[in-house]
Amino acid sequence: MNHGTRLTPAALTARDIAQVGSAGLRGRPMRVILSALGIALGIATMIAVVGISSSSKAKLMDDLDKLGTNMLVVTPGQSMLTGQSAVLPQKAPQMIGKIDGVRNTGATGLTDAHIYRSEHIPVTQTGGLSVQAATEDLLAVLRGSMAAGTWLNAANGQFPAVVLGDQAAARLGVTQPGQQVLIGGGYFTVVGILLPLPLAEDIRTSALVGWQAAKDLLGFEGHPSAVYARSADEAVADVRDLLARTANPQAPHEVEVSNPSDALEAKAASEGAFNGLLLGLGAVSLLVGGVGVANTMIISVLERRHEIGLRRSLGATRGQIRIQFVTESLVLSSLGGLAGIALGSLGTWIYATSRGMPWVVAPTAAAGGFAATLLIGIIAGLYPAIRAARLSPTLALHAV
């Protein structure tokens, strides 16, 4: 008699584990979809939050690269004596242009005129639009572009011609050059419409007329309200130190100097400030999804007690039963994770495309999100797997 013979259970290969781990899911497709949905929504939220923030930041950095950080703006401050707004000298643009390191300058001057679509519009309905005189070099200094038509030049800048900022054109209902608008009691012909100017937001809501035309037709006195100076990159700090004294030598303390690109850089730096809150919401959704997976696995164990008992009676070990159900939970979570990454990437693409932004999906976010789903899958499947492994084969076979 050979009493030393022991039966050794066959080892499961990776293929075997994949087959037994997915067998229970293939028979319940609707339950799989509903259980994976919670995971998918949580991951999609995380991917979309990080992706939209990254896309927005990439757009801002692209704008900074195109527009440069070497433009300074000189504006009048407040008078120390009266507390009223100060006035820049009429020759301020020319004086600033002579500073060593300044490449070119442009200026705008606010007029008292208002712009209307026609004489039938009540005078109180200005639409928040302003009329400004503009120099011929302004567009080049701002590195702006025309959406339609032409910019002001030596020819049309002396006549009743106007260039509209993109928002001004939209509010007036002007869609193409050649249309006329009412400015200061007379009609001006629209010769151009600007594309958005990120470094000069006030110009987007302005109607720009030639410097000489503003003097002749609108009573403009010639004092600039803003002077834009583009300098060499290496000379920005030196030029900034000289601007106030050069623009108004008699009262440099009444001059303000700013760099519009600082605002864009600050905005780029602040992107993602609320990401923590939104990622927290995504994490809550992911946690809810994990609870749903755990619930599904527990129900699966209860429904498949006969199958578990049969496998145990045929020699499957408790460890193999545990591996089966943990694998099933991992597969279920992975499906939700992959769907979430796809949904989040698609949502980011739709948002970025609609806003004219570059599409950016951070690989670290996708990898981190998928790793989170695997961790959720292991945790959610652990208890059901242990419960399944502890089932008595005899009792399980009778629980049909």
Side-chain angles (χ1 to χ4, degrees), residues 65-389:
D65 289 339
K66 293 175 183 176
L67 300 171
T69 58
N70 60 345
M71 188 181 77
L72 298 169
V73 183
V74 178
T75 55
Q78 286 188 334
S79 172
M80 297 292 291
L81 296 176
T82 65
Q84 303 296 319
S85 296
V87 177
L88 290 177
Q90 296 181 4
K91 296 295 183 180
Q94 292 84 349
M95 295 162 64
I96 290 173
K98 294 178 182 179
I99 297 176
D100 187 25
V102 173
R103 292 176 175 173
N104 51 359
T105 61
T108 58
L110 187 63
T111 73
D112 295 328
H114 296 290
I115 180 171
Y116 304 94
R117 189 65 182 87
S118 70
E119 71 273 13
H120 303 296
I121 305 298
V123 294
T124 56
Q125 295 183 11
T126 61
L129 306 179
S130 60
V131 178
Q132 300 196 67
T135 60
E136 297 171 19
D137 295 332
L138 179 64
L139 188 65
V141 176
L142 294 177
R143 295 183 182 174
S145 300
M146 304 299 300
T150 60
W151 176 246
L152 300 168
N153 52 49
N156 59 28
Q158 302 180 43
F159 299 99
V162 61
V163 172
L164 299 178
D166 61 304
Q167 293 183 3
R171 293 180 191 179
L172 292 169
V174 176
T175 57
Q176 59 186 0
Q179 296 177 275
Q180 290 192 319
V181 291
L182 186 67
I183 301 177
Y187 276 95
F188 281 60
T189 300
V190 177
V191 295
I193 299 174
L194 291 167
L195 287 172
L197 293 169
L199 294 186
E201 288 290 331
D202 62 313
I203 291 181
R204 299 185 64 184
T205 56
S206 296
L208 305 172
V209 300
W211 202 267
Q212 190 59 47
K215 288 182 176 181
D216 297 340
L217 304 173
L218 302 177
F220 176 55
E221 295 182 354
H223 293 282
S225 54
V227 181
Y228 302 85
R230 184 76 67 171
S231 64
D233 291 333
E234 65 277 7
V236 172
D238 294 335
V239 170
R240 186 166 191 159
D241 291 339
L242 296 172
L243 278 175
R245 296 195 299 270
T246 305
N248 191 351
Q250 303 300 321
H253 54 276
E254 295 181 355
V255 178
E256 293 184 356
V257 180
S258 62
N259 188 335
S261 61
D262 290 344
L264 281 183
E265 289 178 336
K267 189 175 180 181
S270 67
E271 282 296 329
F274 295 100
N275 280 3
L277 175 61
L278 296 176
L279 288 175
L281 294 176
V284 171
S285 180
L286 191 60
L287 180 62
V288 172
V291 173
V293 170
N295 186 54
T296 298
M297 296 306 303
I298 291 174
I299 294 175
S300 179
V301 169
L302 294 175
E303 290 180 343
R304 294 160 64 189
R305 284 178 295 179
H306 185 68
E307 173 196 330
I308 295 169
L310 183 60
R311 287 199 63 211
R312 293 278 283 120
S313 65
L314 292 176
T317 65
R318 289 185 174 182
Q320 290 173 344
I321 297 297
R322 284 194 293 268
I323 290 175
Q324 173 187 347
F325 281 92
V326 169
T327 301
E328 189 170 318
S329 178
L330 272 174
V331 172
L332 181 57
S333 297
S334 298
L335 291 175
L338 292 174
I341 291 173
L343 287 173
S345 300
L346 177 61
T348 302
W349 179 80
I350 292 173
Y351 181 88
T353 303
S354 65
R355 299 296 182 91
M357 299 177 179
W359 178 43
V360 179
V361 175
T364 53
F370 190 70
T373 63
L374 296 182
L375 181 62
I376 289 289
I378 293 174
I379 296 175
L382 199 57
Y383 172 71
I386 293 173
R387 182 170 179 173

Side-chain angles (χ1 to χ4, degrees), residues 305 308-309 312 318 387-397:
R305 284 178 295 179
I308 295 169
R312 293 278 283 120
R318 289 185 174 182
R387 182 170 179 173
R390 288 178 176 175
L391 284 176
S392 167
T394 305
L395 296 177
L397 285 171

Side-chain angles (χ1 to χ4, degrees), residues 8-20:
T8 303
L12 292 178
T13 65
R15 182 178 180 181
D16 295 332
I17 293 173
Q19 286 180 339
V20 297

